[in-house]
Amino acid sequence: MAADQEAHPPPEETGEGDPHAFQVHLDNFEGPFDLLLALISKHKLDITEVALSRVTDEFIAHIRDYGEEWDLDQASNFLLVAATLLDLKAARLLPRGDVEDEADLALLEARDLLFARLLQYRAYKEVAAVMSERMAAQGRRYARAVPLEERFASLRPEVFLRLGPREFAALAGRVFTPKEPPSVPVTHIHQTRTSVKEQGELVVAALREHGTLTFTELTEGCTGTFEVVARFLALLELYRASNVGFDQPEPLGALSVTWTGGEGEVRVETDYDDAVDEEEGR
Amino acid sequence: MSAEHAAGVGDVSAPPTLRRDLEAVLMVVDQPVSEYDLARALDLPVDAVTRTLEELSREYTEQGRGFDLRAVAEGWRVYTRPECADVVEHFLREGQEVRLTQAALETMAVVAYRQPVSRGRVSAVRGVNCDGVMRTLVLRGLIEEAGHDSESGALLYRTTSYFLERLGLRALDELPDLAPFLPDDIEGLDDTGEHTQ
Amino acid sequence: MSAEHAAGVGDVSAPPTLRRDLEAVLMVVDQPVSEYDLARALDLPVDAVTRTLEELSREYTEQGRGFDLRAVAEGWRVYTRPECADVVEHFLREGQEVRLTQAALETMAVVAYRQPVSRGRVSAVRGVNCDGVMRTLVLRGLIEEAGHDSESGALLYRTTSYFLERLGLRALDELPDLAPFLPDDIEGLDDTGEHTQ
């Protein structure tokens, strides 16, 4: 039993991160919440805003490491969490004192929701550990289940099959039918891979041509959330470098973006780019 | 000696042979048997049966016996003591129970505390698709189908009595309380982790 | 009390846990066990084991327990005490029909259509360990051992005449053909339920 435990080590317990163990079990994470919890415990952090900002990069890096091995369900769940984390990180790129508009509030809500789900997941994970201990302890007890003594054999309680021969055969058919997991082609996901740099260049070109565009117009040609997020991040970078100006007359209204940069070459550099470039080059 | 014992334990209606008869019946069952079924077969009041079962269980422990009488899931059953597991495993030819994966344990935990619950809801809590794991848990007899949700029509699942037996519990309300594992401030969460307000 | 007992019974080399370990093993083995096998498993002298077994048997009688430890041809086994036979018979006769779980039904289906078949192969088809379920089906008299596989030496199982009776069939060849219940494209199935191509 001890050997079994070594062969299938459970992901780390919260609060007891062992960096070496973490490296070994990198591929064992089941779902984004599992990974986030492990990243947080690796840094011995509580689930706080600080924790999220510090683990975001590692989370994204982990997603990259998976390469093509994702199934659609897993990938979309991870992307959902990744998008939320990126949003939160993006919010921190905004100049200080600009945290009270609706978009920021929405981000705060997204953060709270992520926290809440993470906390809930952690609770179930911990109670699962309690169940595991109980099952292990109970598994050490063996129930008496022995054949009836001959004198009682004829008195055996009848077994109630609830099935006729045809139903029984139908059941057998179901059992013998191979269980191929439903598969959805995931190749199209990879076509949407992009980089902030690449999307930034498109944004710069479009703004230079038109001067002012709404965010909706800027993201019209996007083929997925991935590209929208990349263009949004690119805009934040351009804003930080004073190459664009934003105007949003009313909360939740259209966001218009105006080119304020010069004619010279503008490169959109972000800390996500290195990562994505590496991947593109692979 | 047994007669003295039984007289001291049971009420006036419990015959001195009750203790002995219960032990004999427990020797031939191959699944947990309820106090109710035992009382009916012996034609005795349930509370006399229950008291005697509890007394026997205590006695086995006090005498340091290698077996134990335990109330689990749907009734009482004789088990070996955990301390003797090594030598018992040597004699039971069946392979050891395969340990559940972490994913299966977590999924089972969500079903246990949220039952009856749909696969979609379990997946939402864990943040990952749980369909395959749920099927494994059904095959293992730990969870089972429990009808359809009246609103969404989604197939619902609940834990089985085998689940209780494997955990050594009598009933679902003996499951450890989830509250200590949850922080105080997320009581407004509904099943999907969203705030209800 | 148990420690005193063991010390008084065994020789100097018998550990105080011997009594407890023997009780545990005897409570769950599904056939009589010889002193020799017990001694080998516990790594103790045969005579220490034999003395302890005899002492336990005497003790159960003295305490008026409902069970009894007796040596038969092949070894030692726990039996119900003859005085309790009426109660046990009554309990068994009045007992309700046993409903099989889904896991048990599926396991039985694999045995029925693949017999003679080993536990390993049944587990492979169902995708989960079936050892415990197979044991239950044997106890229920629905399947039985059917010799060893000539190549692998694995123990094989087949269905019993009781199985046929419960299903309302006279012979195995009355089992409905499986083909209409299988998808068209899995004719190349091997025994493990996997595509051979």
Side-chain angles (χ1 to χ4, degrees), chain A residues 20 42 75 86 103 136 146 151 155-156 163 176 198 201 208 229-230 237 241 247:
Chain A
H20 302 292
K42 176 191 166 197
L86 282 174
V146 308
R151 62 191 300 182
L155 301 172
R156 198 196 322 262
L163 301 173
F176 284 112
E198 187 182 304
E201 280 162 5
R208 275 186 163 149
V229 171
E237 289 298 325
D247 184 34

Side-chain angles (χ1 to χ4, degrees), chain C residues 160-173:
Chain C
T160 61
S161 56
Y162 179 65
F163 160 81
L164 290 175
E165 180 198 313
R166 296 312 294 164
L167 208 58
L169 302 175
R170 275 172 307 176
L172 268 182
D173 57 19

Side-chain angles (χ1 to χ4, degrees), chain A residues 30 73 117 121 142 144, chain B residues 78 80 89 106 124 126 129:
Chain A
E30 258 257 328
D73 276 323
R117 296 185 66 171
Y121 173 67
Y142 291 87
R144 178 170 168 94
Chain B
V78 173
T80 59
E89 279 159 14
E106 288 174 18
R126 295 196 55 238
N129 183 303

